Structures are given as structure tokens and as C-alpha cells.
Amino acid sequence: MDETFLWPDALSNEQVTAASSSELVTIYPHRTSVPRDAWGRLFATAKEEIGVLVYSGLFLSEDSGIQRTFAEKAEAGVRVRILLGDPESPQVAERGDDEGVGDAQAAKIRNALVLYKNLRRQEGVEFRFHRTVLYNSIYRADDQLLVNTHVYGVTGPHAPVWHLRRIAGGDLVNTYLESFERVWERATPIPGD
């Protein structure tokens, strides 16, 4: 075996940089460029953890196949955690203003909650509200991520998405996973769950 696989903490800065660049699978110029079935395939691969960090992620809540995958994975023992923006938070209001959609951002979150009504009752699926400035939306299935970067004045569907896969010695995926955990720790359970 390669020594970097056995001892990833002993890597030089150059080796960490090289490993991290290897974590990049592909870049999509817009979220709408991600093939529709890629979302389902991503979540279907999860064996331990699914995580979603968004303001609304309305496109996921509108997809009955994704919701079914979340429910089936939860029944199989996969931890499913979904973080939605608190529609009453100033951060959501500011994002709506920044993207030029105003109150529509908060309305999309409320719409997602309605669409997730049955999934919110599913054992093994956890929902929380967060009140953070969201720099990236994160969609996780174990060691693979789709990261929708946010660009000032551009709505999420029109911003780039990075497909990442964690490898030994890489730091890129861990940065996003640690960010997800920090938001999760500060988030509050959604009322009614």
C-alpha cells in the first residue's frame, strides 16, 4: 500500500494539496447542469449518512423519488439529516434580497416543509432549522458531496456545483463535512417533529 494511504497525517503540504485536488470528481457550471438522475444516484449510494444543508432545497422536496430514497435509507439504518433555513431568520431574508427574490426565499422553505410532511414523520430522518449565512449548500452521501456554491446576486440553480469524493490524505471534503457539523450543532429541531 502507498504510505500516504497508511499515514495520511504524515503528508507534506504539497501532498495534501495533490490529494485534495484528487477529491474533485467534476464541476458543473450550474446546479441545473447536474443530471437529474445524479441526485438520486448520489443518495442511493449512502450506507451510513445522508446530509442536506440548504435554505430551501425545494427541488429535492419536490422529487418524490428522492423523498422515497431518504425514507428507504432511514428504514435501512442510514442517518438522514436535513437542515433548512429558518424562514423567520434575518439570514434568509437577506439571501432573498441578495438574489432579488425577496420573500420568495422564505416561502420556498415553507413550501419544502409542506412537501416534506410525510418524511418529517419518518423515524430516522431528522429535520432542523439553521440561522446561518449559507455560503454553500451541501448534499452528502457518506464520502461523496455535491456542493452548490453561492454567488452574490445569483440564485442557487444558476450557481456552480462541485462533485467531491473524500480520499485518504485529502482535506477538501473534510472542510465541508466539518462545516455541516458546526451548523447542525447550532440548529434547532423544527417544531412539529
Side-chain angles (χ1 to χ4, degrees):
M1 294 198 145
D2 184 83
E3 64 188 33
T4 59
F5 180 80
L6 296 172
W7 299 289
D9 293 335
L11 297 177
S12 70
N13 285 338
E14 293 81 21
Q15 289 170 314
V16 170
T17 300
S20 294
S21 66
S22 296
E23 290 181 294
L24 180 61
V25 176
T26 193
I27 297 174
Y28 299 98
H30 312 285
R31 190 178 74 209
T32 55
S33 302
V34 178
R36 184 167 159 32
D37 63 336
W39 297 97
R41 283 194 318 266
L42 173 78
F43 295 125
T45 65
K47 299 202 180 327
E48 296 177 16
E49 174 99 25
I50 289 173
V52 175
L53 169 59
V54 292
Y55 273 145
S56 71
L58 188 58
F59 74 102
L60 290 180
S61 64
E62 292 174 328
D63 189 320
S64 61
I66 295 287
Q67 286 208 42
R68 188 172 36 258
T69 297
F70 288 169
E72 290 170 356
K73 289 296 182 175
E75 286 175 8
V78 173
R79 185 176 190 194
V80 178
R81 298 185 290 169
I82 300 172
L83 284 155
L84 300 175
D86 183 340
E88 303 299 325
S89 71
Q91 294 84 359
V92 167
E94 185 172 359
R95 178 58 56 84
D97 291 342
D98 291 348
E99 292 183 354
V101 298
D103 294 338
Q105 186 68 268
K108 289 194 295 185
I109 296 167
R110 289 184 183 95
N111 190 5
L113 284 172
V114 170
L115 294 170
Y116 278 135
K117 182 176 140 185
N118 291 332
L119 191 62
R120 290 175 57 205
R121 295 185 190 126
Q122 173 73 41
E123 189 162 332
V125 180
E126 303 170 77
F127 282 85
R128 290 187 183 180
F129 276 146
H130 69 90
R131 298 173 69 89
T132 62
V133 173
L134 194 58
Y135 301 107
N136 301 281
S137 293
I138 301 172
Y139 309 90
R140 174 189 188 187
D142 297 335
D143 290 338
Q144 288 197 67
L145 306 176
L146 290 173
V147 178
N148 191 183
T149 64
H150 293 292
V151 180
Y152 183 81
V154 176
T155 59
H158 301 289
V161 172
W162 304 352
H163 182 179
L164 306 173
R165 178 184 55 240
R166 182 168 32 193
I167 64 167
D171 239 359
L172 194 55
V173 170
N174 287 337
T175 299
Y176 287 105
L177 294 180
E178 289 167 8
S179 176
F180 182 96
E181 292 303 327
R182 282 193 298 274
V183 175
W184 183 260
E185 289 169 10
R186 296 179 60 196
T188 57
I190 295 179
D193 285 355

